């Protein structure tokens, strides 16, 4: 989860991905990262379609490499082994402020995405998750207006 918070105008999913890669690089983390974001208006713009569906465990950046899920199937089954609650700098965060997602726990869009992550309007909403949750609430728990600031989930590809 990102150390910084952002309003709903992320510059689309590509902007979210860029934010993830910039923060990971600054923290010295290797690899390429994608933001756990969906844009319901663009086919294939969701984690289920765009992510590498790893057969290996998803882990946190803490020294113990705490396991979040056994693999992609386990990541998208509605519950996690551990909360995704550490920043790229290994700092524990809690909600609020929550995390922008626009994504259901199966990796598919839920249709509430700050106009494709291009709006910070007070009359537009985006779906969020709770970084302290291990239930489906980790990705789908609320719909604040897009002028609010939230974090992003970043996954190494």
């Amino acid at each position: 989860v990102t150390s910084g918070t952002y309003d709903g105008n992320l510059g689309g999913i590509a902007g979210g991905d860029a934010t993830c890669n910039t923060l990971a690089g600054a923290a010295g983390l290797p690899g390429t990262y994608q933001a756990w974001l969906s844009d319901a208006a663009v086919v294939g713009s969701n984690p289920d379609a765009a992510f590498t569906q790893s057969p290996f465990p998803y882990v946190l950046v803490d020294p113990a490499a705490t396991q979040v899920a056994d693999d992609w199937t386990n990541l998208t089954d509605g519950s996690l082994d551990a909360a995704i609650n550490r920043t790229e700098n290994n700092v524990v965060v809690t909600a609020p402020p929550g995390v922008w997602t626009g994504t259901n726990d199966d990796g598919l869009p839920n249709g509430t995405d700050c106009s494709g992550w291009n709006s910070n309007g007070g009359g537009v909403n985006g779906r969020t998750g709770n970084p302290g949750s291990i239930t489906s609430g980790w990705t789908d728990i609320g719909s604040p207006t897009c002028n609010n600031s939230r974090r992003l989930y970043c996954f190494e590809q």
Side-chain angles (χ1 to χ4, degrees):
V1 67
T2 58
S3 55
T5 60
Y6 312 90
D7 65 31
N9 187 2
L10 301 169
I13 291 176
D17 293 346
T19 297
C20 287
N21 283 291
T22 297
L23 292 172
L29 299 174
T32 302
Y33 293 80
Q34 286 183 281
W36 180 268
L37 293 170
S38 292
D39 180 345
V42 179
V43 174
S45 293
N46 59 73
D48 184 66
F51 276 34
T52 300
Q53 296 185 6
S54 179
F56 304 106
Y58 288 86
V59 298
L60 298 177
V61 298
D62 63 325
T66 301
Q67 183 171 299
V68 170
D70 297 332
D71 53 25
W72 177 260
T73 300
N74 187 233
L75 179 68
T76 58
D77 71 0
S79 66
L80 301 175
D81 298 338
I84 304 173
N85 65 352
R86 293 197 181 253
T87 71
E88 70 277 3
N89 299 307
N90 191 29
V91 175
V92 175
V93 299
T94 58
V99 182
W100 292 121
T101 67
T103 308
N104 292 321
D105 60 8
D106 58 5
L108 295 170
N110 62 30
T112 310
D113 55 28
C114 294
S115 300
W117 307 109
N118 287 298
S119 175
N120 58 5
V124 181
N125 295 77
R127 204 71 184 149
T128 61
N130 175 347
S133 179
I134 60 169
T135 67
S136 63
W138 78 268
T139 185
D140 189 19
I141 201 162
S143 293
T145 55
C146 299
N147 60 343
N148 286 283
S149 291
R150 300 290 186 261
R151 300 178 190 277
L152 301 175
Y153 289 122
C154 300
F155 286 79
E156 184 179 8
Q157 300 301 299

